[in-house]
Amino acid sequence: SQETLAYLLFEGINVGKDQRKAREWYRKAAEQGNLNAQFCIGILSFGKQLPGEREEARKYLRAAAEGGHARAQLHIGSMYINGDDVQDDATAF
């Protein structure tokens, strides 16, 4: 699967480590509705300080959380508690 390939590339397992390609494969899987890929690309994007990265992180983390991904729900909740670049919305979910 695309998500598995992304993981292998990200970790460098049996292939050369390539985080840029890993992000591309995570993004492809995320766009097809893979909740874990949405979570992974969200987490990878969250720590970046590049323009648009935080917005992408919120997009994918929210999609994963709304789909029932528990770790994404926890991360979104933490973002709200900490005020990490989210809009003030007490009715997030």
Side-chain angles (χ1 to χ4, degrees), residues 5-87:
L5 177 58
Y7 174 76
L8 295 174
L9 285 164
F10 188 81
E11 296 294 333
I13 300 172
N14 296 326
V15 294
K17 192 171 191 171
D18 189 334
Q19 293 184 355
R20 184 188 57 78
K21 283 187 181 179
R23 288 172 61 91
E24 290 175 18
W25 285 106
Y26 273 132
R27 192 171 285 110
K28 287 179 184 185
E31 289 298 323
Q32 293 176 13
N34 182 302
L35 296 179
N36 200 55
Q38 290 171 343
F39 172 73
C40 289
I41 196 69
I43 292 299
L44 292 173
S45 297
F46 186 76
K48 301 287 185 182
Q49 298 300 320
L50 302 172
E53 291 287 331
R54 287 290 187 125
E55 184 176 317
E56 180 178 59
R58 284 191 305 272
K59 170 187 164 183
Y60 286 116
L61 286 171
R62 180 176 291 276
E66 289 175 351
H69 192 283
R71 289 175 59 200
Q73 292 169 344
L74 177 65
H75 199 79
I76 288 284
S78 295
M79 289 170 67
Y80 277 93
I81 288 170
N82 296 322
D84 287 335
D85 209 20
V86 292
Q87 296 172 348

